[in-house]
Amino acid sequence: MTATTAAAERLHHSRRARRARTGGPGERGPKVLEHVLGWTLVLVLALFVTRAGLM
């Protein structure tokens, strides 16, 4: 293990304990809206795929 690899490994382990919050769905905001928008995206994508004849 080189000195650079060892330093990177120490930095990785020290950051694991205090991981930054990313603002994902569990933190705040309406979950229902997020689900509706997600499923709308899935349906629109499926519509385009079937219209293009790819499926």
Side-chain angles (χ1 to χ4, degrees), residues 7-51:
E9 189 70 24
R10 280 194 309 272
L11 182 64
H12 176 71
H13 286 299
S14 68
R15 285 186 181 174
R16 188 178 297 166
R18 57 177 201 270
R19 187 169 294 190
R21 302 296 299 224
T22 59
E27 291 186 19
R28 63 178 182 265
K31 289 183 181 182
V32 173
L33 178 63
E34 203 166 312
H35 285 288
V36 168
L37 290 175
W39 280 110
T40 302
L41 178 64
V42 168
L43 291 174
V44 168
L45 183 62
L47 176 74
F48 284 142
V49 168
T50 55
R51 290 285 183 163

